[in-house]
Amino acid sequence: MIQSVENAFPLVAFRRAFLLVALAVLGSGGAPSFVEGQADAARAGSGALVGDAMTVARATNGQYISWREHIIDEAASAGFKLSGSDGLVMADIDNDGYEDIVSVHESDSEYDSSAFDPDFVPDAEGHVRIAFGTADPDRWINITLAEGTDAPAPEDAAIADVNGDGYLDVMVAAELAHLIYLQNPGAGARTVTWPRLILPMTEGRGSYIRVFLADFDGDGVPEATAPNKGAQRPGPEDFARSTAVSIYQVTGDPLVGDNWTATDLGQYSVPQNAEPVDLDGDGDLDIVAGSRGENRLVFFENVGDLEFREDSIRINGARAAGFNLEYADLNRDGRLDIIGAAGGGLYWFEQPERIGDAWTAHLIGRFTPDSMTGLEIADINGDGRLDVMAGSYSRGPREGDGDVDVNDALGRIGWFEHPDDVTGVWPRHDISRRKRGMFDKFIARDMDSDGDIDFVSTRGNSVPWDGVFWLEQVRTREPVASFERARAEDSEEMPLPAGRE
């Protein structure tokens, strides 16, 4: 199913105009009424809706930073119930010079895929979508790449040219089933069915939550890495056993099942990551894995010829399960640090001089009582330092706002500003807090080519507003509302709770 999507977004121009007039009358002179980094404390318990509150975030040129939401893919334009939107990746799929978006949609609006329920068996539903980009960041051509039993409850996707034909292929991790390889047909990528293969050694074996494609041995052919977490909704028996983090190698035609081989790197309690990264800085790709059951990170050092040496990442001051991680040299000592959620907050873990020693945990910030789920690093305010965009996972109903209040875990988006001292306090700038929203993934891009960083993301837990969107960074001379919604009707915007971080 192919549709051309051209959205004229209902931007809340009146609200912004009203705020600017009010500022002029009050003679604000463009100066915020409280210093940066204290915005949340001032708003907490005040009843001010997060998205409507005046931004205090500023770029290095003195302009104020706010955010405008743009819809890329949703149920209304798709023509069916698109829900449970999770992972996404970006690349030029059809070689037309514009980046495209591959997104996965779990179709879990009737149940919580993170909660154990042995009496409920979900249907084999889900969608893998491609949004083909154009010269206009508000015009996308959306198609369904895979659905149903091919990709039941898809959670993640990866992109690489696996067969070496010059077109990027896709691999998807499905929580209810397996790994599936989808081969780009080339010129007909938008219109014809993509050839596909369910990797036979993954079929009926467990539950796959992440997948990555990378060339670990330098032969020009990417391998896949993936954790098998054992069950989509792990219970006590699943946490008590161990399942594999594996690497998958293909020799020859990727559409032939016998051409794929799997090597297990290690066994863990509900593993949930297997991410390629050159952690030790020696020029080849290593693998970082995370275990939900053991609440720890594992490092597989690439020693050549697809051989890996396992070591734990021992962290002083926190424990991390490693579902979503980012990597950057935050303290500029020449070594990659790790950014991720731990203990209900967002931390960066400082790599020691000797990689086998303990890593030191430094708190970046919290969304309490909201979770810390998706994250991305980028220089948001133009000061040359990496900031962190983050999103939460609402825990209330998914098909209606329901009976939740300000003290519940809701759907928040916000960013943390890199301070002068990286070990110090990172000012938090809340963007929006709605009753419903799951923000699993962010990708930093300058979508509108205006010189600042925007973000592409998915939103789940929010039927009928699940899907793919992008956040435009808006800069103004005067402070305006922090967030401009794309829809006139949406999940209710909420304030911050009193006395919470």
Side-chain angles (χ1 to χ4, degrees), residues 14-203:
F14 173 79
R15 184 180 66 196
R16 289 205 166 208
F18 177 83
L19 288 169
L20 289 172
V21 170
L23 280 170
V25 171
L26 292 173
S28 68
S33 58
F34 34 72
V35 299
E36 219 164 357
Q38 295 179 333
D40 299 319
R43 295 171 190 163
S46 69
L49 304 182
V50 169
D52 293 341
M54 304 288 279
T55 182
V56 297
R58 299 178 93 157
T60 52
N61 63 4
Q63 291 185 312
Y64 288 87
I65 297 173
S66 62
W67 302 88
R68 179 180 296 143
E69 181 184 44
H70 300 254
I71 305 303
I72 295 171
D73 196 10
E74 61 176 341
S77 57
F80 58 85
K81 187 178 180 179
L82 189 70
S83 68
S85 307
D86 276 310
L88 78 164
V89 284
M90 292 182 67
D92 185 1
I93 298 292
D94 55 358
N95 290 351
D96 67 349
Y98 300 107
E99 277 201 301
D100 312 306
I101 303 168
V102 178
S103 59
V104 293
H105 309 266
E106 197 173 350
S107 296
D108 62 350
S109 63
E110 297 179 4
Y111 66 96
D112 184 349
S113 59
S114 68
F116 178 58
D117 183 355
D119 299 322
F120 179 79
V121 179
D123 295 329
E125 297 179 343
H127 299 88
V128 181
R129 301 271 284 173
I130 301 180
F132 287 100
T134 69
D136 181 353
D138 283 336
R139 182 177 181 271
W140 300 83
I141 299 169
N142 292 298
I143 70 167
T144 295
L145 180 60
E147 60 187 331
T149 55
D150 271 352
E155 179 76 21
D156 197 20
I159 299 175
D161 182 6
V162 178
N163 65 343
D165 66 351
Y167 287 90
L168 295 172
D169 310 301
V170 175
M171 188 170 284
V172 172
E175 272 201 289
L176 282 176
H178 48 244
L179 298 177
I180 183 169
Y181 165 72
L182 299 138
Q183 186 164 289
N184 192 332
R190 299 186 182 192
T191 57
V192 304
T193 300
W194 288 35
R196 59 201 61 202
L197 172 76
I198 295 173
L199 271 61
M201 69 285 291
T202 68
E203 192 166 11

Side-chain angles (χ1 to χ4, degrees), residues 164-415:
D165 66 351
Y167 287 90
L168 295 172
D169 310 301
V170 175
M171 188 170 284
V172 172
E175 272 201 289
L176 282 176
H178 48 244
L179 298 177
I180 183 169
Y181 165 72
L182 299 138
Q183 186 164 289
N184 192 332
R190 299 186 182 192
T191 57
V192 304
T193 300
W194 288 35
R196 59 201 61 202
L197 172 76
I198 295 173
L199 271 61
M201 69 285 291
T202 68
E203 192 166 11
R205 185 182 173 192
S207 175
Y208 295 84
I209 191 171
R210 302 298 302 276
V211 65
F212 303 90
L213 289 168
D215 184 5
F216 289 94
D217 56 1
D219 66 352
V221 180
E223 291 78 37
T225 56
N228 175 4
K229 70 188 186 88
Q232 186 203 25
R233 308 169 78 188
E237 292 183 1
D238 302 301
F239 279 97
R241 66 189 177 99
S242 295
T243 49
V245 171
S246 305
I247 186 167
Y248 301 86
Q249 182 182 17
V250 63
T251 304
D253 185 352
L255 291 171
V256 177
D258 288 344
N259 288 345
W260 289 89
T261 58
T263 302
D264 292 347
L265 300 175
Q267 304 269 337
Y268 308 94
S269 171
V270 192
Q272 56 181 10
N273 208 338
E275 191 161 4
V277 58
D278 183 9
L279 196 64
D280 56 7
D282 64 355
D284 55 29
L285 290 172
D286 311 302
I287 299 169
V288 174
S291 165
R292 187 195 304 178
E294 300 166 42
N295 201 21
R296 68 185 180 105
L297 304 181
V298 178
F299 165 53
F300 297 100
E301 181 186 357
N302 188 341
V303 296
D305 297 323
L306 292 183
E307 297 288 332
F308 294 85
R309 181 168 51 235
E310 178 183 351
D311 196 3
S312 293
I313 295 177
R314 292 168 286 275
I315 302 173
N316 172 32
R319 299 189 68 180
F323 174 60
N324 276 324
L325 300 172
E326 293 295 332
Y327 309 87
D329 181 10
L330 289 182
N331 59 353
R332 302 182 180 181
D333 64 357
R335 299 184 291 271
L336 277 185
D337 308 304
I338 299 176
I339 302 96
L346 180 64
Y347 286 79
W348 69 276
F349 309 118
E350 181 181 353
Q351 183 174 156
E353 185 174 353
R354 193 178 72 88
I355 201 166
D357 288 342
W359 297 53
T360 300
H362 302 277
L363 178 65
I364 291 175
R366 302 183 188 276
F367 274 169
T368 310
D370 308 322
S371 70
M372 194 66 65
T373 304
L375 62 143
E376 172 70 306
I377 53 175
D379 180 8
I380 292 174
N381 59 358
D383 65 356
R385 298 178 296 204
L386 291 172
D387 311 300
V388 184
M389 176 66 73
S392 71
Y393 186 120
S394 62
R395 293 294 179 180
R398 300 182 175 195
E399 294 199 351
D401 281 354
D403 187 20
V404 297
D405 64 30
V406 68
N407 296 305
D408 290 315
L410 307 181
R412 194 188 314 194
I413 304 172
W415 64 281

